Every structure is written in C-alpha cells, then in structure tokens.
Amino acid sequence: EAQVTQNPRYLITVTGKKLTVTCSQNMNHEYMSWYRQDPGLGLRQIYYSMNVEVTDKGDVPEGYKVSRKEKRNFPLILESPSPNQTSLYFCASSFGPSYGYTFGSGTRLTVV
Amino acid sequence: KNQVEQSPQSLIILEGKNCTLQCNYTVSPFSNLRWYKQDTGRGPVSLTIMTFSENTKSNGRYTATLDADTKQSSLHITASQLSDSASYICVVSAEQAGTALIFGKGTTLSVSS
C-alpha cells in the first residue's frame, strides 16, 4: 500500500530533550515536506526537500532541522524542544509540485 | 503577498443537503489549486487538483470549480453524509516558488442527522 509513515503518533517530552520524528514513504517520491498544524493557523511548512541531500526552509523553520540522506526517509529533528513547538506535525510526499501530495497520519507532539 | 482565504470558517448542515465552500486566492503566478479533506487528527486527503485550464473537476459527490480570472474556487458537496464531517482545506501552488504550497485555514463542516 502506497503510504507515508510517521512515527511516533503521539509524543510527550520535556523542554530541551532532543527528539526525532521519523517519516518514510514507499512511493519513490522525490519531494518531501514537513508541516505543523495549530488551531486557527492552518498548516504551515517547516522544511522541504526536492531530492536526496537537497533541503530548504519553509515558512517556520526556526527550532527544527531535517536531513535527506535517502530518498524514502525525511526525519524531523528538534534539537532543543520548547513548549511553543507543541503542535500536530505532518509529513507529506509527492512526485513534484504539480502532483498530488500524500500526507502521513500525523504526530501529536507535546513539550512540557 | 500570496494568500488563500476560505469561507465560511465553519458550517453546519443536515444530512442529505448540499453545500458549497468558497476559496479566494491571491497567489501569483498560479500553478494549481487543490482541495483536501481532513478528518480530525488525521492527515489531509486529496479530493481534487486543478490547473489553470481546468474549471471543473469532480470526485464522486465532490465537485470543485475554478475561475482563474476572479481567482476563486468552490467545492460543492452533494447529498451530504455524516462521514463528510471534516475540515476542507484549499491549497494553492505557485510557480517558481520552490515547492511551497499556500494553505487556507480550512472550513469545518459538520453534518448532522
């Protein structure tokens, strides 16, 4: 089944403790992206990647890092999480900007 | 500034009724417009995607229209079902803007019996 898999689905952590949210797709998509969704603000792009070793900032990249060492994986790294990063996070992939995007099921992160 | 505005913010309708959701955008240069359905706590799922030359596209009971001149789109839902209760998000892609998508904030639809 074609899908984008995110892990974990739920995560509660403490301020300053580094964490990684994994994202993997099995559709051979070149493009991958991370979004956060907050009430009243909609989906906002954090980082995106056009291909392996090619990443770029989205609208809200502060406090996040990404890497794209393999085509299928695009992890989101929070080096020192803060409470304002409490949010619902989505990974998405696509063949490119003119194609449909497949979203993962989401990761609900709470930073206390 | 590239923006996507959706209306209404929320909507309640009775099961079996039709409804229309609106999307206005100021994205330029325009590449394509998508409508997504997002169930609570789940990832968005694509309903339709339209390019500049397309003015109507259907997906079952969902019909999207696009007027590129007025920069408006609508999503019409026919014979609504309880399972249509969700947030509907309009997303516009701009050419030569990396791969960034401009998201609307969504319309929350509640279908009651």
Side-chain angles (χ1 to χ4, degrees):
Chain A
E1 180 188 354
Q3 60 186 354
V4 175
T5 303
Q6 290 179 232
N7 280 298
R9 284 295 311 275
Y10 302 92
L11 178 61
I12 301 174
T13 190
V14 296
T15 299
K17 185 177 181 181
K18 180 179 179 179
L19 66 91
T20 299
V21 183
T22 63
C23 174
S24 180
Q25 51 94 3
N26 61 2
M27 295 165 281
N28 202 35
H29 285 166
E30 293 181 342
Y31 170 75
M32 297 185 74
S33 181
W34 276 102
Y35 300 88
R36 62 177 288 173
Q37 187 173 36
D38 302 290
L41 296 179
L43 282 151
R44 294 179 292 168
Q45 190 179 51
I46 304 170
Y47 269 95
Y48 64 93
S49 169
M50 299 285 283
N51 213 327
V52 175
E53 302 291 1
V54 181
T55 63
D56 208 345
K57 297 177 181 179
D59 298 319
V60 288
E62 294 79 18
Y64 305 94
K65 285 176 56 178
V66 293
S67 69
R68 188 89 181 274
K69 294 183 170 56
E70 309 166 276
K71 197 171 188 178
R72 63 183 292 126
N73 295 324
F74 190 44
L76 179 70
I77 303 157
L78 285 72
E79 293 272 4
S80 182
S82 62
N84 64 13
Q85 293 178 298
T86 292
S87 186
L88 180 58
Y89 291 87
F90 290 101
C91 179
S93 73
S94 170
F95 283 116
S98 299
Y99 296 87
Y101 287 65
T102 301
F103 283 81
S105 296
T107 295
R108 186 168 293 282
L109 172 65
T110 302
V111 183
V112 298
Chain B
K1 181 182 177 183
N2 288 331
Q3 281 188 312
V4 175
E5 301 285 344
Q6 291 186 244
S7 62
Q9 188 172 357
S10 61
L11 182 62
I12 302 173
I13 62 173
L14 289 174
E15 187 179 13
K17 297 296 186 182
N18 304 334
C19 68
T20 300
L21 314 180
Q22 299 291 343
C23 173
N24 297 335
Y25 62 93
T26 58
V27 178
S28 182
F30 175 85
S31 176
N32 58 63
L33 184 145
R34 313 148 193 253
W35 282 94
Y36 284 87
K37 177 187 179 186
Q38 184 179 22
D39 294 317
T40 302
R42 310 287 296 183
V45 175
S46 181
L47 294 175
T48 63
I49 178 169
M50 290 183 291
T51 60
F52 184 89
S53 59
E54 298 173 295
N55 54 25
T56 301
K57 186 163 279 190
S58 292
N59 178 357
R61 295 180 296 102
Y62 301 101
T63 299
T65 64
L66 173 64
D67 186 333
D69 292 331
T70 62
K71 298 187 177 181
Q72 295 179 323
S73 175
S74 65
L75 180 69
H76 186 74
I77 304 174
T78 303
S80 60
Q81 300 175 357
L82 296 178
S83 59
D84 292 331
S85 295
S87 179
Y88 292 84
I89 304 171
C90 176
V91 186
V92 180
S93 175
E95 290 183 2
Q96 301 165 358
T99 59
L101 304 178
I102 299 95
F103 288 82
K105 294 181 180 179
T107 293
T108 300
L109 173 66
S110 298
V111 180
S112 60
S113 57

